[in-house]
Amino acid sequence: MRSLAAAAVAWLACQCAVAQTAPIFVLNSLDANVSIIDPATWKEMRRLPTGKEPHHLYMTPDEKSIIVANSLSDSLTFIDPKTAEVQRVVRGTLDPYQLRFSPDMKWFVTAGNRLNHVDIYRWDGRDLQLASRVPTGKTPSHIWIDSRSTTAYVSMQDSDELVAIDLATQALKWRVKTGPMPADVYGTADDRTLLVGLTGADGIEVFDVSGPQPRSVRRIKTGEGAHAFRPAGDKRHVFLSNRTGNTISKIDLQTLSVVDTYPAPGGPDCIDVFAGGKVLMVTSRWARKLTVIDTESRKVIRQVAVGKSPHGVWTLDHAPR
């Protein structure tokens, strides 16, 4: 029975690899580089140097670039997601820890994690122009921008707050207290509800942001160290990594409940999902691995050795975001 099960898992892993063609990018924060992984062989082909202490990867909405935010180098590295070649390096972005473009790509927002500010840049398709530096609470962590490209929501990791910033005026709209150590933020498609991962607790805090002031309406228990979100690609579910609990939760956005849980050893952090939604990848922060999980069998089907403190993971061959 065991040999048959192992063969089935190996077959599935092989099928997943064959279906993918674009390279997989894994950000190694403490090595200041990005691992480039071949999805056909699941081998690390090479490592691409970045700036000091890169903490997040982000694919632009037009999918023409993957951007690495180098917080201690005050720079951004733009990488071609098809060829894994550096397109250019943009310098002078102060302490970019987390980053996000507005969906219309007119605004670019960075969270200055060490310096307690959020920077809002105008984007003309080529260059960034700083519009405003907004002082915030302690340790701005993660950013979400609504579908209309009007509001940026940013979590404050060490002052336990969530703030909303109007992008057009760069004015602070409101701030609200959250549970302990808020991290990633995820908004529903109708822009009425925000989910906030509470890394200092064991779940998500849900906010209604449809009115002039936000309201905390629910807590969803997921696992210890609730941290980073990734939509499943079916317009209904979202995955969440529980870094301390070593699991990934699947959350139904209609019922706001956990509908499945997957093992994810080694301190799971950022997630990406292959097209089809049946296989997900997560960086195992403490184990120096990229972990690949089959969501149907709920099993880890492989792990790939990468660098120190792997953080972000992205590929072009992804499920819709």
Side-chain angles (χ1 to χ4, degrees):
M1 292 294 292
R2 288 184 179 179
S3 61
L4 287 175
V9 169
W11 179 87
L12 175 62
C14 180
Q15 297 307 305
C16 294
V18 170
Q20 316 308 321
T21 58
I24 298 161
F25 299 83
V26 176
L27 176 60
N28 304 309
S29 291
L30 295 185
D31 280 337
N33 58 37
V34 175
S35 291
I36 312 299
I37 296 171
D38 181 352
T41 62
W42 290 101
K43 300 292 185 183
E44 183 185 57
M45 297 184 290
R46 58 192 174 94
R47 293 189 184 178
L48 193 65
T50 62
K52 294 178 182 179
E53 279 207 29
H55 281 289
H56 285 96
L57 277 173
Y58 176 76
M59 187 178 290
T60 56
D62 62 9
E63 300 195 339
K64 293 181 179 179
S65 298
I66 286 178
I67 307 176
V68 180
N70 308 305
S71 60
L72 284 187
S73 290
D74 298 336
S75 67
L76 305 168
T77 304
F78 285 66
I79 303 170
D80 189 311
K82 294 180 180 179
T83 65
E85 299 297 329
V86 173
Q87 296 169 324
R88 60 186 175 128
V89 177
V90 175
R91 306 189 187 279
T93 51
L94 188 61
D95 186 26
Y97 172 78
Q98 227 263 350
L99 67 167
R100 186 172 289 272
F101 266 105
S102 60
D104 63 8
M105 292 193 71
K106 293 182 179 179
W107 302 100
F108 181 72
V109 182
T110 62
N113 189 261
R114 290 180 296 110
L115 302 179
N116 298 333
H117 68 238
V118 169
D119 281 348
I120 301 174
Y121 295 87
R122 291 186 177 88
W123 171 257
D124 63 5
R126 171 67 187 179
D127 298 315
L128 296 171
Q129 179 184 1
L130 183 64
S132 184
R133 178 160 292 148
V134 183
T136 60
K138 295 180 181 178
T139 323
S141 181
H142 286 67
I143 305 162
W144 177 262
I145 299 176
D146 69 336
S147 65
R148 297 169 297 159
S149 302
T150 63
T151 305
Y153 302 96
V154 189
S155 59
M156 302 293 131
Q157 178 180 313
D158 291 328
S159 57
D160 299 340
E161 295 173 298
L162 179 70
V163 304
I165 303 170
D166 184 278
L167 291 176
T169 64
Q170 296 91 56
L172 195 69
K173 296 171 64 175
W174 49 252
R175 70 173 62 239
V176 64
K177 293 297 290 186
T178 69
M181 290 185 68
D184 205 5
V185 183
Y186 184 83
T188 54
D190 61 6
D191 293 323
R192 298 178 63 87
T193 305
L194 287 180
L195 281 62
V196 180
L198 301 178
T199 301
D202 61 356
I204 298 166
E205 188 163 7
V206 181
F207 288 89
D208 180 344
V209 294
S210 61
Q213 292 295 318
R215 293 187 303 114
S216 177
V217 295
R218 186 180 300 193
R219 291 277 186 99
I220 305 171
K221 187 173 182 179
T222 60
E224 294 290 337
H227 192 69
F229 294 101
R230 170 62 165 87
D234 60 2
K235 298 184 179 181
R236 176 162 179 170
H237 298 93
V238 65
F239 295 110
L240 171 78
S241 59
N242 303 301
R243 187 189 285 173
T244 309
N246 290 316
T247 60
I248 291 174
S249 300
K250 186 177 184 180
I251 299 154
D252 188 317
L253 294 173
Q254 294 182 11
T255 64
L256 293 177
S257 61
V258 175
V259 295
D260 217 337
T261 302
Y262 315 99
D269 203 311
C270 294
I271 305 168
D272 204 2
V273 183
F274 281 130
K278 295 181 180 180
V279 178
L280 60 84
M281 300 179 292
V282 59
T283 48
S284 294
R285 192 77 178 270
W286 317 133
R288 300 174 63 171
K289 304 281 188 182
L290 175 68
T291 297
V292 185
I293 300 167
D294 169 32
T295 60
E296 292 187 331
S297 68
R298 301 179 183 82
K299 292 181 179 179
V300 173
I301 56 177
R302 67 172 67 242
Q303 288 188 300
V304 182
V306 289
K308 295 178 184 176
S309 192
H311 208 154
V313 53
W314 292 88
T315 180
L316 266 180
D317 291 325
H318 59 76
R321 293 185 173 86

